[in-house]
Amino acid sequence: MLEKESNPTISKSTGLPRKRFYRARAHSNPLSDSHFPVPVSPSHVDFSLHYPQFFPSSSEVGCSKKIQFADIGCGFGGLLISLSTLFPETLMIGMELRDKVTEYVKERILALRGSNPGQYQNVSVVRTNSMKYIPNYFEKGQLTKMFFLFPDPHFKEKNHRRRVISPHLLDEYAYVLGVGGIIYTITDVEELGDWMKSCLESHPMFEALKEEELEADPVVKLLCSATEEGQKVARNVGQTFQAVFRRIMPTSRYMTTDMVCSSLAICDD
């Protein structure tokens, strides 16, 4: 208690970390080299560090649960926190490149676990570059949902290769998403929204959800409201542009030779 009262980074009223002590640049360059540990493969991730209630010890091999949701570029963790109580039995993780922001999300989750016993045990965060290391964390077909909310638009054409949604990265996302898994994207930049939608429409392993499916999905309602960026857009009465697509098995008549080779690598057991 005394530690909390004397720690200026913790809010006295909520017990949560204060964002102003963890502020960082809005975005980081995903092509630059960062120094943080990267697991050799998904089997080398110590899940007891992330989900101690589900994995009591790194030496115990009893739990068969696996991460199913991944929030790519999770920011301050607003979506993860909302999803945690909506899907309490589903393991989920945020992947964030900025070290201060990652530290904030860690402290936020720990504080919520402490003040809400039994809750928020299914959510965690890791500092990593998801554009480089997705296959190091997830097995083939492991995920059921991936989120890309308000990513860096990288306006200059020469920087489009830095965009987190691109044709070649969708191959990797298709690998870690199970058939029927869903990719959620949203942005307040119309050109980026068109780009992400076009990339997904052009990929043979994704199809758009129908309007009635979007209306029935409780997660879609959180895309605008759960994140700091989404709340800012709402306050400014701004527009958002969503693209929500399902992972499917490709049909051969739409596939080029390169697509066949790519899908064989994804689908091959």
Side-chain angles (χ1 to χ4, degrees):
M1 184 65 180
L2 288 175
E3 182 182 352
K4 186 183 295 185
E5 291 178 353
S6 62
N7 187 349
T9 66
I10 302 297
S11 168
K12 293 180 181 178
S13 59
T14 65
L16 298 175
R18 303 162 83 177
K19 286 181 185 173
R20 66 190 180 95
F21 289 96
Y22 297 87
R23 289 291 176 185
R25 294 180 62 181
H27 302 284
S28 293
N29 180 2
L31 302 184
S32 65
D33 291 325
S34 301
H35 302 286
F36 43 74
V38 178
V40 176
S41 72
S43 63
H44 289 80
V45 180
D46 185 357
F47 291 108
S48 68
L49 300 177
H50 294 277
Y51 312 100
Q53 183 169 289
F54 293 95
F55 301 85
S57 168
S58 59
S59 60
E60 294 183 21
V61 190
C63 186
S64 60
K65 290 183 77 70
K66 293 182 179 180
I67 294 170
Q68 291 182 264
F69 296 179
D71 185 3
I72 310 302
C74 67
F76 290 98
L79 177 68
L80 289 170
I81 299 306
S82 296
L83 291 173
S84 178
T85 52
L86 192 60
F87 301 91
E89 296 302 315
T90 300
L91 298 187
M92 55 193 75
I93 197 163
M95 310 185 88
E96 175 60 52
L97 184 55
R98 296 167 293 173
D99 56 347
K100 286 186 178 180
V101 178
T102 306
E103 190 60 31
Y104 171 86
V105 180
K106 285 182 181 177
E107 294 296 329
R108 183 179 185 181
I109 292 169
L110 288 174
L112 286 169
R113 287 176 178 176
S115 58
N116 301 272
Q119 292 187 328
Y120 304 103
Q121 298 291 335
N122 60 328
V123 61
S124 188
V125 66
V126 63
R127 185 186 178 213
T128 192
N129 187 337
S130 57
M131 290 178 65
K132 292 182 178 181
Y133 304 120
I134 282 280
N136 297 68
Y137 285 91
F138 307 118
E139 299 171 357
K140 172 179 170 287
Q142 175 178 335
L143 299 179
T144 59
K145 295 184 187 296
M146 295 184 77
F147 301 91
F148 302 83
L149 310 191
F150 301 97
D152 191 334
H154 293 295
F155 290 107
K156 294 181 181 178
E157 187 172 350
K158 68 176 183 179
N159 290 333
H160 284 182
R161 63 198 178 103
R162 298 180 181 180
R163 288 181 169 176
V164 72
I165 295 291
S166 66
H168 75 277
L169 284 173
L170 284 176
D171 289 343
E172 290 197 5
Y173 305 153
Y175 176 82
V176 297
L177 269 173
V179 174
I182 300 177
I183 275 186
Y184 299 81
T185 75
I186 188 171
T187 179
D188 59 335
V189 178
E190 185 172 8
E191 187 273 330
L192 178 61
D194 291 341
W195 164 282
M196 294 193 292
K197 183 178 180 181
S198 175
C199 288
L200 285 158
E201 285 177 335
S202 301
H203 199 284
M205 304 188 83
F206 291 98
E207 68 174 9
L209 266 66
K210 297 183 174 71
E211 193 62 37
E212 55 267 26
E213 292 178 299
L214 294 174
E215 292 176 1
D217 187 344
V219 173
V220 172
K221 299 175 179 63
L222 296 175
L223 301 184
C224 285
S225 62
T227 68
E228 183 182 65
E229 191 65 30
Q231 292 163 10
K232 187 194 306 180
V233 173
R235 284 196 302 271
N236 296 330
V237 198
Q239 276 188 292
T240 58
F241 308 90
Q242 297 180 12
V244 182
F245 279 68
R246 178 187 294 107
R247 161 77 156 85
I248 60 171
M249 290 298 292
T251 55
S252 58
R253 65 194 180 100
Y254 290 116
M255 298 178 70
T256 65
T257 302
D258 287 343
M259 287 178 177
V260 170
C261 294
S262 175
S263 67
L264 285 174
I266 294 171
C267 300
D268 186 25
D269 287 325

